[in-house]
């Protein structure tokens, strides 16, 4: 039996069945478009909320870090007297050494890699640097090239995800 003769394209029953099928397909397609638009809007809203939450968290951490630095500045400022301000040589020796800074960084953020530069590197400085958690000791005469190489070495574990060596 031929399919077209079985359908009887001119009959009312066939026409109503085909019309119902077309309406059903159009309804499903419009539902798909509507659901896609609703899901897209919902996803954009959720991503926006997550970005705001992340930005708020990062801003809070930055604010906390700035507050910590202000506390350190206030403590240092209290130690500077008018007599110290009048004596530039004494004021120059008031500054922290690289080892002192490395110790302070280690107390605040032990996860940060530390490098210091010095014009005179001896065994005592190497020992102090190792004790303070310094990963790179850079000789100031070669500071430009050595500094760039040290930064690349210190950043490498963070880039690749490998543990520092």
């Amino acid at each position: 039996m031929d399919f077209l003769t079985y359908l009887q394209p001119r009959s009312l029953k066939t026409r109503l069945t085909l019309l119902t099928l077309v309406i059903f397909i159009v309804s499903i397609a419009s539902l798909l478009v509507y659901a896609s638009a609703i899901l897209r809007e919902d996803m954009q809203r959720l991503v926006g909320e997550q970005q705001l939450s992340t930005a708020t968290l990062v801003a809070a951490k930055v604010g906390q870090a700035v507050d910590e630095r202000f506390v350190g500045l206030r403590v240092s400022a209290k130690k500077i007297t008018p007599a110290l301000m009048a004596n530039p040589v004494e004021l120059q020796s008031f500054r922290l050494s690289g080892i002192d800074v490395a110790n302070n960084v280690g107390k605040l953020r032990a996860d940060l890699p530390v490098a210091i530069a010095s014009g005179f590197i001896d065994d005592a400085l190497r020992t102090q640097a190792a004790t303070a958690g310094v990963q790179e000791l850079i000789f100031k005469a070669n500071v430009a090239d050595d500094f760039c190489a040290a930064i690349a070495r210190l950043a490498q574990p963070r880039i690749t995800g490998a543990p520092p060596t």
Side-chain angles (χ1 to χ4, degrees), residues 3 29 33 48 55 57 64 77 84 92 98 100-101 112-113 115 122 125 132 164:
F3 184 69
V33 169
L57 181 66
Q64 181 183 6
L84 188 62
Q92 182 73 11
D100 295 331
V101 172
L112 288 179
D122 61 355
L125 181 63

Side-chain angles (χ1 to χ4, degrees), residues 109-129:
R109 293 281 310 270
D111 62 317
L112 288 179
V114 178
I116 60 172
S118 177
F120 179 73
I121 299 175
D122 61 355
D123 290 336
L125 181 63
R126 285 188 180 92
T127 303
Q128 290 174 338

Side-chain angles (χ1 to χ4, degrees), residues 23-161:
I23 291 172
F24 178 74
I25 291 174
V26 168
S27 299
I28 295 294
S30 64
L31 181 63
L32 177 68
V33 169
Y34 175 73
S36 176
I38 294 297
L39 288 174
R40 184 179 298 112
E41 288 174 10
D42 192 39
M43 189 171 16
Q44 286 175 341
R45 181 184 56 78
L46 288 174
V47 168
E49 289 174 2
Q50 287 177 347
Q51 287 175 343
L52 177 63
S53 174
T54 301
T56 303
L57 181 66
V58 168
K61 286 197 172 265
V62 167
Q64 181 183 6
V66 169
D67 289 343
E68 289 172 358
R69 282 161 181 80
F70 273 126
V71 167
L73 283 174
R74 285 187 190 104
V75 168
S76 295
K78 288 178 183 176
K79 294 178 182 177
I80 299 175
T81 63
L84 188 62
M85 290 295 290
N87 188 351
V89 174
E90 184 71 24
L91 185 62
Q92 182 73 11
S93 67
F94 176 74
R95 295 185 332 189
L96 296 175
S97 71
I99 299 296
D100 295 331
V101 172
N103 280 323
N104 290 338
V105 167
K107 290 175 187 172
L108 292 175
R109 293 281 310 270
D111 62 317
L112 288 179
V114 178
I116 60 172
S118 177
F120 179 73
I121 299 175
D122 61 355
D123 290 336
L125 181 63
R126 285 188 180 92
T127 303
Q128 290 174 338
T131 303
V134 174
Q135 287 94 354
E136 294 285 341
L137 199 54
I138 303 166
F139 185 56
K140 281 186 180 177
N142 306 332
V143 76
D145 295 334
D146 290 351
F147 185 72
C148 291
I151 295 299
R153 284 191 301 273
L154 291 174
Q156 190 62 32
R158 293 180 182 278
I159 294 170
T160 61

